[in-house]
Amino acid sequence: MRLTGWQRVFWLLGLLLIVSAAPQPKPRETIQKRIAPHVVLFQEISTDPPLAVHGLRITPSRSVRIETALGSDVVLTENATRGRETVSRAAWRHRALAALNADFFPFTGDPLGLCIMRGELVSEPFPNRPAIGLTVRGEVVMGAPQLNATLSRADGAQIPLTGINRPTRANGDLVLFTSFFGTAAQAEASGVAVVLDALPRPLRVGSSVQAVVREVRLNANSAPIPITGGVLLGTGDAVPFLQTLQPGQTVQIRIDLTGDGAPAWRSVTEAVAGGPWLVRGGKPVPPEEYERAGFNRGFWERRHPRTAVGRTAKGEIIWLVVDGRQPHSQGASLPELAQLMLRYGAVEAINLDGGGSSTLVVRDLILNSPSDGSERPVANLWLLFDDRLRTDLPRDTYRIEPATATLKVGEQVRFRIWRDKQPVSTWDALWGCNTGLGFIDQWGRFTALRPGQGTISAFIDNQWLHVPLLVEAPPAEPNKNGGAGGNRTHE
């Protein structure tokens, strides 16, 4: 049936009414705050789907410093954390403006991939995993290089050096340990440990140094590390070579990287690693590349809390954290994370450790909501400093209203800051919740996620304000027998 002109008009009007009546997704809320002359904080809040994104845009400058830090300042300790440390505590110890979790790690504080601190190679690269580094001039270097290192005797004989500051594996491994590792070198099986004196530091990429043999230990799986020296601990094929060394002899250690822009890494002073690549040359990396780097489909396809880092065409550095596994934020898959980094201008970007490790700290405030309900200690992290920040004393007295809050899981309350009788703009304050009870955005809205007692905190005018908080559990749902409670299981 053909429609007349008026029928077509009424049909189009009806269609427009249907479309306008359909529920439209809420646009994402975006807030940006300049927290230092060269650092901008940004935050995205979406409800359909639920997603919370937090990040920093850092413009390299002479006053801006980004440094690598090890949890507890060493790779391995014998306490419960095994050399790991929470991001907020490390940021507080170092008096950093901001901090971000970095590389993957096992149950100890050993970064899985490349780590460079103050110009020294602390951990060798993991095969096919990318890293991001900074030169003393603030230039960004990104790539996936490989270790290229050797140990040589005085007679010219040499063997490959296969690792830096990690436990020596059982079969045919040779690892150099320095004081960055901890108090004693460790191996998974017995081998030969060569204790070194007079080991020049820092051990830079592209360097070749000599050290003096102090002691040779046979059938050893451990040896103390001298503060001014090191330990070579080898197993398997490395054992016959190390057995020929004698106290007083000199050895030469050459340390370099090869592949994927390797020469540029000789100028890098600070670096952390992760993986896989998210963005290269301004384009998202296809998922096949994820799997070549050892990340299976379950890891990259599912939505999880994520941390990423990248650089823009202007040379800016982007730190980004996505909350996940929580009602206010579902997390992101790796392709979705790549799109987020592209939206913020990244032309090169890599994924860092995520899940419960994902943490962004600014001014000693945890800005995101860690998925474990509390911070997870991590192996290494990045610290941000801006030397142009002034440390003036507070000028005014502030208060937060409400002065205390009690709410149930799932409820929300809005906090505001007042100076005398005048409200203070939300642009002037930073909000955080370091007790894991919920998520507070940079508008000052707190959403309760877990029951317990804690505080909401704000930083303004070089001072912190705190509000006591009580989050109560929601009423128990009736069980099938009509009563309340019942046994529940959780993942």
Side-chain angles (χ1 to χ4, degrees):
M1 182 181 71
R2 298 184 63 182
L3 299 178
T4 66
W6 280 108
Q7 286 175 324
R8 283 196 292 269
V9 170
F10 284 124
W11 182 82
L12 288 171
L13 287 173
L15 181 62
L16 288 172
L17 287 173
I18 292 173
V19 172
S20 62
Q24 299 296 316
K26 291 184 178 180
R28 58 178 178 267
E29 295 180 86
T30 303
I31 186 171
Q32 296 189 54
K33 300 180 179 182
R34 185 168 294 279
I35 61 172
H38 301 94
V39 185
V40 174
L41 163 71
F42 59 86
Q43 188 177 65
E44 279 187 20
I45 307 296
S46 304
T47 57
D48 187 18
L51 194 68
V53 180
H54 326 265
L56 298 181
R57 182 183 297 274
I58 306 161
T59 302
S61 165
R62 289 183 178 180
S63 64
V64 171
R65 291 180 290 120
I66 297 179
E67 298 180 358
T68 307
L70 290 170
S72 303
D73 296 329
V74 294
V75 170
L76 188 65
T77 61
E78 295 303 322
N79 58 19
T81 63
R82 302 286 286 165
R84 294 171 290 128
E85 186 178 16
T86 61
V87 175
S88 63
R89 177 165 177 77
W92 177 83
R93 283 199 306 109
H94 292 276
R95 302 296 189 265
L97 168 64
L100 181 76
N101 72 288
D103 203 354
F104 298 89
F105 55 91
F107 69 96
T108 68
D110 178 17
L112 191 59
L114 180 67
C115 180
I116 298 176
M117 290 180 57
R118 296 183 287 281
E120 177 158 349
L121 184 63
V122 176
S123 174
E124 82 273 13
F126 190 89
N128 300 319
R129 300 278 178 92
I132 178 169
L134 293 170
T135 69
V136 70
R137 296 180 179 180
E139 299 162 328
V140 180
V141 176
M142 300 182 72
Q146 301 173 4
L147 181 66
N148 179 19
T150 56
L151 171 68
S152 301
R153 296 189 309 229
D155 62 5
Q158 65 179 34
I159 58 171
L161 184 65
T162 52
I164 309 288
N165 289 322
R166 60 165 173 77
T168 306
R169 301 186 183 104
N171 296 315
D173 203 11
L174 176 58
V175 177
L176 172 64
F177 297 82
T178 70
S179 53
F180 271 127
F181 182 78
T183 58
Q186 295 185 8
E188 297 174 356
S190 294
V192 174
V194 178
V195 182
L196 302 175
D197 269 334
L199 178 66
R201 305 280 294 278
L203 295 172
R204 298 183 180 276
V205 174
S207 67
S208 183
V209 299
Q210 284 190 337
V212 179
V213 176
R214 175 197 291 186
E215 180 185 1
V216 178
R217 296 189 176 195
L218 305 180
N219 298 317
N221 57 12
S222 181
I225 303 172
I227 293 297
T228 59
V231 171
L232 292 162
L233 211 167
T235 60
D237 295 341
V239 167
F241 186 95
L242 297 180
Q243 284 177 332
T244 65
L245 297 176
Q246 299 294 324
Q249 291 180 336
T250 61
V251 293
Q252 186 174 51
I253 298 170
R254 183 186 62 83
I255 295 177
D256 209 349
L257 299 176
T258 186
D260 204 3
W265 290 97
R266 296 176 182 175
S267 302
V268 168
T269 57
E270 309 288 338
V272 299
W277 284 102
L278 298 171
V279 178
R280 296 204 78 174
K283 297 181 180 180
V285 171
E288 304 86 73
E289 295 295 323
Y290 305 159
E291 304 209 6
R292 289 194 188 101
F295 297 94
N296 61 38
R297 191 179 191 91
F299 177 87
W300 64 261
E301 189 176 53
R302 295 175 185 170
R303 293 187 170 112
H304 294 290
R306 304 285 188 181
T307 300
V309 64
R311 69 169 183 89
T312 69
K314 296 179 180 179
E316 301 164 315
I317 298 167
I318 303 295
W319 289 4
L320 189 136
V321 167
V322 180
D323 283 351
R325 303 174 186 165
Q326 298 169 90
H328 76 286
S329 187
Q330 64 182 359
S333 66
L334 288 192
E336 290 169 339
L337 187 63
Q339 291 301 320
L340 281 170
M341 293 299 287
L342 284 167
R343 191 161 81 225
Y344 280 98
V347 294
E348 307 281 347
I350 65 174
N351 177 63
L352 300 180
D353 188 19
S357 299
S358 289
T359 309
L360 175 62
V361 171
V362 176
R363 293 288 194 180
D364 295 330
L365 301 175
I366 302 172
L367 296 196
N368 68 306
S369 177
S371 61
D372 291 348
S374 60
E375 278 188 274
R376 178 184 295 175
V378 299
N380 67 341
L381 58 145
W382 253 3
L383 302 172
L384 173 65
F385 305 85
D386 193 328
D387 295 335
R388 288 188 59 186
L389 286 175
R390 301 179 61 182
T391 55
D392 295 339
L393 293 174
R395 295 165 294 177
D396 295 295
T397 300
Y398 303 85
R399 70 181 189 280
I400 298 180
E401 290 187 357
T404 185
T406 300
L407 60 166
K408 292 182 171 59
V409 170
E411 294 181 340
Q412 189 178 87
V413 61
R414 172 72 182 270
F415 292 98
R416 290 179 170 84
I417 299 177
W418 293 74
R419 182 195 303 113
D420 296 327
K421 296 183 179 180
Q422 297 296 320
V424 176
S425 169
T426 187
W427 303 103
D428 297 331
L430 290 173
W431 296 91
C433 179
N434 288 20
T435 50
L437 298 181
F439 168 63
I440 186 164
D441 62 29
Q442 293 307 309
W443 299 115
R445 296 174 302 195
F446 173 76
T447 302
L449 299 176
R450 304 169 187 86
Q453 289 183 309
T455 56
I456 288 296
S457 303
F459 181 85
I460 184 171
D461 192 16
N462 285 316
Q463 58 185 300
W464 286 267
L465 309 177
H466 307 285
V467 172
L469 187 70
L470 174 62
V471 177
E472 300 175 339
E477 297 179 3
N479 60 24
K480 294 182 179 179
N481 296 324
N487 295 326
R488 297 173 181 268
T489 59
H490 300 273
E491 294 182 352

